[in-house]
Amino acid sequence: MPPSERLPLEQVLEIVSALEAVVLRSFGPEGGQVLFTRDTGQAMLSRSGTCILSALHLEHPLARVVVESVWKHSRGTGDGSKTFILLLASLLRGISKATSRGPSASHAYGFTEAAKAAAAPYFANKLLELVSSDLDDLIAVNVVPYGFCVSLEDFTTHSGRLLLASFFHTRVSHVHCSYLSELTCEMLNRWKYKSDLPYISFQFLSDNFPALHTPVSGFPVSSSRLIEGQVIHRDFATPCLPSKQQPVKVVVFTDYMQPILLSTGDVLKLGYGGGVTPESSIVHFSAWTERSLESVIAELQSLGVSLLLSAVKQSDAAVALATQAHMSLVECVSEEELSLFVQLSGVTPVSRGCTIQLEHVAALSFCRPILLGGHRYVQVAFCESPKSSKVNPCSLVICGPGEGQTDQYICAIRDAVCMLMTTWEPKHTSETTASRGTLQSDKGTASLDMTPTFQSTANKPYGLKKCVFEPGCVIPAGGTFEFLLSRALPNPSSDTNGLPSVSQLLANALLSVPRQIYSHSPKLFLQAQTRIMSLVQNPSNPFSLGLKESTPGPMVDLGLESVTCKYQLILAVVQCATSVLRVDTVLHTRTALHTQSKKHTIFSRASTEDEAED
Amino acid sequence: MALNGDDEDYEWEPPTEAEMKVIQARRERQDKISRLMGDYLLKGYKMLGDCCDACGTILLQDRQQKNYCVSCQEMDSDIDKDNPALNAQAALSQVRERQLAAQTPEVNDGPSSSSSTQASGSVPQPRPEHCEGAAAGGRTPLPPPAVPPPSAPVPATPLPSARPPAPPQSSVFSPVLQDAEEAVLTKLRWATAQLQSSASLEASIQLCSLISSCANSLRSLKELSQ
């Protein structure tokens, strides 16, 4: 194998076409599901493009680059990973056709290849210029008027449900679409901040989603429900349960209650300064630790605390003393759940060495064990307090017949919340260069008040990003966006070189999306195109595409989709195409340079050990 | 790399219909390769960072660490199907083309054409299955050593009809060899006649190669009989 090689456009196209062939059959509302199985018997069922592409074994660096871009885009918007690949493939095909038509037909072989090699990045750069500068205006003028804005009050009635239903149509089987969209709507309703922007509640939900849901396998999907309060995914460590009387006082410990004697690497110096005396022996030290533990428990008892939440595993003595004092203890609570608890209850966790005061004690309306599936968890419900009076916290229990399906529904709901967050993002300019951390490790909202600032949790991975559309702007689905935008793109008669213009390339690539949606019936594609073009030419009724209750017709069945998500999708696709076409050489190295990617955690909820596939 | 203002730009013409067909066929082939590759990726094959040496397609690797090239091992090659030495269909199409080219300029010729038309008329239109069977199954009693396939089945058909078929299992080779020599000589004569009246360059080249292979077969037959 040569140490380095040029990357011809044909090879790039081959790779992206292969990836397109992988996701094509799952595309659209009529698409199918992919079942992945491992030799261990673990199964993953998915229609999400990101999940499918991340599960493939890809060693080619370019394929990895493309999948990485898809993953980043999906994390940012929650939707559109299959459309990404489709658009990318048709864009590259268009560029390839354009470059092969160039000044290459009648020349020596060497010049042909060089010209082709330079033409493709040229096209890509021109495309990037076009979408960075003109695309938002084009969309705002030519596409947005045919949609409408969904306000938060409308959200839980018809339009929001339709938006969610059309999203779920592309992710789960159509049987469960309406049920899941209703469930999600209800959850969003309960988490609504009455006086604040919907964006904040969506963002809060999205950040805390791992702590706000419980997967339960072995039950039908219709058993999924919302339960009050928060579910802590641990069982009680003490046999006694908290008393039924209200309110239940709780203290959160992030460290050990009893000072630990010695851990690995520690050096304990007894009687420091005065030399080792008979009084300063290890026995005295351990007695001192026990006395301090007893004083802590006494303090807690005096404050009337009956529930202790601990981030670490407490010592046996602590557990025994807590049992003796009729206090319940929950150990090893995960970081996300503790941070969510702290936010919702408004309590300060007790850290090492500080005395327990009133601010460390929170009141809960109840705390009881709950049996979900084969596990017993702890359910806590919060009292009405001035800080948290705006929300009605609830947790989602998602059931599925098997683990694979349950994971599929969880991913779908999580991505739906992300998509809603993108759609309702307020109109402002946020400059950021860092992408949002993973959902599991985001600590940006660990503040007492419920209004996280925009900048701290901005999540756009591509530098400067403008939110240029009104929050809640949606358009009927089924290819409307693509038809309108492809018509709106400027179409000069010919470029100066006789090569096709980049806007023509983009327009042709955009049309491949509705073509694929209606691939089972090309007649429907033509019908949809005709309908939309006639509506465009007949501007007397611009809202006839809108979905008022009185508008019957096939458009109602197609559902809604978000304009912001589509706009970001096109940006992301063009950026990916540019980065892919700018690659000149591939260098083969002897050792692996990449580290374990976080994408592989999608498939290994239970088996985090065996992530190393290549 | 000037992309504009070059004189060569204005020489670009739209591709002809034949070129369009080729482009279309190539695109379909690429689509088919992508689809196959996608299927294999979903089956758990790994996409490697290398390309196949023969055709340049991206290599896949299965669970047993064996490399697999989709286009070489599953699809018919793009160019092999045009090679008459490897593909009976291509050979047949070549024969038909030659006949077509031979018939048109000779329609006004005199007696010199009658023998050639007779010869071509007596040659029955070779059927594909017969041709392939003859080429692959070896039903003909004549060993065709270096003769291209179109000539092998053609003498096979008139010979069994002209004489009772010689027993192929005969341990005595001489009658078989004599028949072979006769057939090759007939073909040689026919090819020479064709060559004299041939108008196309390609046909002439083919006929010359036929003549040389007939000569080779005669030589080997003579060696065998000695």
Side-chain angles (χ1 to χ4, degrees), chain A residues 441-613:
Chain A
S441 63
D442 181 36
K443 292 287 129 237
T445 53
S447 53
L448 282 183
D449 60 293
M450 303 291 208
T451 56
T453 57
F454 296 137
Q455 280 74 25
S456 62
T457 51
N459 62 341
K460 303 300 168 265
Y462 292 115
L464 180 67
K465 192 220 149 268
K466 284 190 297 177
C467 306
V468 292
F469 307 114
E470 291 295 330
C473 190
V474 297
I475 196 170
T480 316
F481 181 90
E482 287 83 11
F483 284 131
L484 290 169
L485 185 59
S486 66
R487 193 190 162 275
L489 281 166
N491 192 1
S493 52
S494 74
D495 208 2
T496 50
N497 310 332
L499 299 167
S501 70
V502 288
S503 50
Q504 245 178 325
L505 276 176
L506 185 60
N508 291 337
L510 279 170
L511 283 179
S512 68
V513 174
R515 219 169 259 138
Q516 189 55 40
I517 293 177
Y518 298 113
S519 59
H520 56 281
S521 165
K523 187 175 78 165
L524 285 177
F525 169 77
L526 289 171
Q527 275 179 358
Q529 192 173 29
T530 325
R531 186 170 49 227
I532 291 168
M533 291 306 142
S534 65
L535 275 162
V536 166
Q537 270 139 23
N538 186 10
S540 59
N541 195 2
F543 285 102
S544 60
L545 282 177
L547 290 158
K548 312 294 176 208
E549 265 74 11
S550 56
T551 315
M555 293 300 275
V556 179
D557 301 335
L558 291 170
L560 295 172
E561 59 189 10
S562 152
V563 172
T564 319
C565 290
K566 285 282 174 184
Y567 167 63
Q568 290 190 21
L569 172 71
I570 298 179
L571 275 180
V573 167
V574 172
Q575 277 164 347
C576 179
T578 317
S579 61
V580 149
L581 289 175
R582 275 186 193 152
V583 173
D584 288 323
T585 329
V586 172
L587 295 174
H588 295 273
T589 59
R590 293 275 165 227
T591 55
L593 289 176
H594 67 275
T595 50
Q596 282 297 327
S597 150
K598 0 185 220 298
K599 302 190 296 255
H600 290 290
T601 56
I602 292 170
F603 195 177
S604 57
R605 176 186 279 272
S607 60
T608 47
E609 304 83 55
D610 56 5
E611 279 177 8
E613 285 296 335

Side-chain angles (χ1 to χ4, degrees), chain A residues 10-18, chain B residues 30 33-34 37 56-58:
Chain A
E10 285 79 21
Q11 210 182 92
V12 174
L13 193 54
E14 203 170 83
I15 294 168
V16 179
S17 303
Chain B
Q30 285 300 322
I33 289 179
S34 308
M37 221 189 277
T57 324
I58 306 240

